Amino acid sequence: MLNCMTARTNLQSKTDIAPLAMADHFLAAAHALAADPMFGIPPNVREVIARCGNATKLVILGTKGFGAHLMNVRHERPCDVIAAVDDFRYHSGALYYGLPIISTDRFIELARHDRDLVALNTCRYDRPKRFFDQICRTHDIPHLNFEQAVRAFSLQDKVDYRVDDWGADIACNIPAFQRLAQRLADDYSVQTLYAVLNFHLTCEPEYYHEVERPYSTLYFRSGLLRFSDSEKMVDCGASIGESLTGLIGVTKGSFERVWMIEPDRINLQTLQNVLRRYAGTSFASRITVHGCGAGESTTQAPFNHEGGHGGFVKPTDADYEPADLIDIRPIDDIIDDAPTFIKMDIEGSELSALKGARQVISAHKPKLAISAYHRSTDLLDLTSYILSIRPDYQIGLRHHTPDRWDTCLYFY
């Protein structure tokens, strides 16, 4: 077995998307992480943390990425965040969570005078991410990406669960992931699975870049599902209506029915505007909006209403106002016809919603596109449950962004 240092060098210097090579990388990375909880953290960052501990000074690179998750960490942050870098905003005098926003030049100057300074590259998109990485390499500045920071500073269970470190859970479930790989219907799905797992084990985003598909291919252009002019779609997590637009596009407007399920009160206003645009057209009677969440049973739950794609069911022990409560209903009770397609992206509540759709899945075997990137065991739990209802599904997997978001399971 590769020792930890050899594994780190091999896994993070290059990737190989051949299924067998990806599987070998997966085993090596899982064993390396099991042996070394700091696997994937650059040596120069380890040295700084060993010297400085909780007094480690951190500068956030970029103000529109994952940095907000660090600033909103529960309990006390195990580092001293001193500034954020944004060359487009520093001259405005704006603050980032109360921190000064500085230029790249000022960041380099600070790092030159403080060799214990660590940079955290929080950028989501490739160009700014690579720009800051190159700046840090050129000036020999210790730096991390967000996933490495969660691991290095032991932020597991302190950050939003959707950006937790999955590594330990993956390393504990090696046989289950190997069985899932064997169950997938095509090589690209196997490659995608191992790319996702290897990313979470190593914190190396290059694994995603080998298999990522454009966001525009999500749900409707995965290469796995086929759509006809008789589609009846359950849009679970309708958000701002993107999936409706996708269905209209792929069917050229020829579909039979859409149930849009969305609990976020801000998004519901947007969806009502969408419906108004179709008033008086043939679409009007075929689209309905249901202002509730989807779950296993009828109940209520507190909800974080923020609009867009980020709203989620809050833990029952979280602080909330009565107005934040939403109704939760099973899909089996919401819809009034047999669906041909169910799409779900509901921020970690997918398993509960699938349990509330057991009858329609069992009876009608609709195509399914289920988001599987919110919880560390989603890939296993969601697949296991769906196959317990209909073991005759074929399974595909695609990843639709250049970062950790939008890994989607497809059942057909």
Side-chain angles (χ1 to χ4, degrees):
M1 185 177 70
L2 296 175
N3 63 40
C4 292
M5 189 58 69
T6 301
R8 184 180 304 112
T9 300
N10 290 346
L11 290 163
Q12 296 188 354
S13 62
K14 63 189 291 285
T15 58
D16 183 342
I17 66 170
L20 288 177
M22 295 287 274
D24 289 342
H25 284 204
F26 165 64
L27 284 174
H31 290 310
L33 180 60
D36 175 14
M38 290 280 279
F39 174 65
I41 309 305
N44 58 354
V45 174
R46 290 185 183 219
E47 293 168 4
V48 174
I49 294 175
R51 285 195 301 271
C52 302
N54 288 354
T56 300
K57 293 179 182 178
L58 201 68
V59 173
I60 292 176
L61 306 179
T63 61
K64 295 181 180 179
F66 290 100
H69 293 290
L70 176 65
M71 301 308 295
N72 289 323
V73 70
R74 291 187 292 275
H75 314 305
E76 184 177 351
R77 282 194 297 271
C79 53
D80 181 14
V81 186
I82 63 171
V85 179
D86 188 326
D87 288 323
F88 297 97
R89 297 182 61 198
Y90 79 93
H91 50 74
S92 70
L95 298 177
Y96 180 75
Y97 290 88
L99 297 175
I101 298 176
I102 62 176
S103 67
T104 299
D105 289 341
R106 177 58 178 155
F107 160 61
I108 294 171
E109 183 182 348
L110 288 175
R112 187 177 296 124
H113 290 90
D114 186 350
R115 302 310 296 175
D116 282 340
L117 194 69
V118 174
L120 171 56
N121 190 342
T122 68
C123 298
R124 286 191 60 196
Y125 298 106
D126 202 49
R127 183 174 294 178
K129 184 190 304 181
R130 293 188 186 278
F131 167 77
F132 281 128
D133 279 349
Q134 186 58 44
I135 288 291
C136 290
R137 282 192 295 268
T138 300
H139 295 276
D140 196 24
I141 302 170
H143 62 289
L144 298 157
N145 61 34
F146 179 78
E147 284 74 22
Q148 290 170 328
V150 172
R151 184 171 298 174
F153 294 111
S154 301
L155 297 179
Q156 181 73 7
D157 299 324
K158 295 180 181 178
V159 292
D160 187 314
Y161 66 85
R162 294 169 292 181
V163 292
D164 255 339
D165 183 357
W166 292 14
D169 287 341
I170 292 172
C172 290
N173 286 284
I174 293 174
F177 283 113
Q178 290 173 321
R179 288 192 295 272
L180 175 57
Q182 293 171 354
R183 187 64 174 76
L184 294 172
D186 62 296
D187 280 350
Y188 195 8
S189 292
V190 177
Q191 294 162 354
T192 301
L193 173 65
Y194 283 125
V196 170
L197 298 178
N198 288 340
F199 161 77
H200 286 289
L201 289 167
T202 66
C203 304
E204 174 50 69
E206 291 299 326
Y207 281 106
Y208 278 149
H209 300 326
E210 297 289 353
V211 297
E212 69 180 89
R213 293 173 64 84
Y215 181 74
S216 59
T217 65
L218 182 61
Y219 309 134
F220 300 101
R221 292 184 169 86
S222 66
L224 295 168
L225 306 184
R226 297 291 178 266
F227 295 90
S228 71
D229 59 4
S230 59
E231 297 297 338
K232 303 172 188 176
M233 179 177 74
V234 178
D235 187 2
C236 189
S239 186
I240 57 175
E242 289 176 317
S243 295
L244 174 63
T245 300
L247 181 69
I248 292 172
V250 79
T251 64
K252 295 182 170 56
S254 297
F255 62 91
E256 288 194 15
R257 188 77 165 82
V258 175
W259 298 267
M260 304 179 78
I261 303 172
E262 175 58 47
D264 191 309
R265 56 177 174 248
I266 302 172
N267 286 341
L268 285 171
Q269 295 175 9
T270 301
L271 294 178
Q272 292 301 329
N273 290 333
V274 170
L275 291 188
R276 276 193 286 273
R277 288 201 295 272
Y278 294 128
T281 74
S282 62
F283 289 174
S285 62
R286 291 183 275 162
I287 305 169
T288 53
V289 174
H290 304 266
C292 62
E296 182 175 5
S297 58
T298 300
T299 185
Q300 287 190 316
F303 190 84
N304 181 52
H305 300 262
E306 61 178 55
H309 301 99
F312 61 95
V313 174
K314 293 182 178 180
T316 54
D317 60 351
D319 293 333
Y320 65 91
E321 298 295 328
D324 293 338
L325 286 172
I326 62 168
D327 292 325
I328 304 287
R329 297 177 62 198
I331 288 174
D332 285 334
D333 293 347
I334 294 171
I335 64 176
D336 53 2
D337 198 354
T340 63
F341 176 49
I342 299 176
K343 161 258 168 177
M344 268 185 206
D345 186 354
I346 48 177
E347 304 305 312
S349 296
E350 285 80 7
L351 183 59
S352 176
L354 286 167
K355 291 179 178 179
R358 184 181 183 93
Q359 294 177 24
V360 296
I361 293 173
S362 176
H364 305 292
K365 195 189 176 186
K367 300 181 290 290
L368 306 174
I370 312 298
S371 293
Y373 61 94
H374 300 112
R375 299 184 185 275
S376 61
T377 56
D378 271 349
L379 289 164
L380 299 177
D381 294 344
L382 301 176
T383 302
S384 177
Y385 183 73
I386 291 168
L387 292 182
S388 74
I389 305 172
R390 291 294 304 235
D392 54 338
Y393 269 120
Q394 293 191 76
I395 313 168
L397 186 70
R398 297 292 186 263
H399 185 81
H400 297 275
T401 62
D403 55 40
R404 66 185 293 154
W405 304 133
D406 292 297
T407 304
C408 192
L409 281 162
Y410 294 89
F411 299 83
Y412 53 101

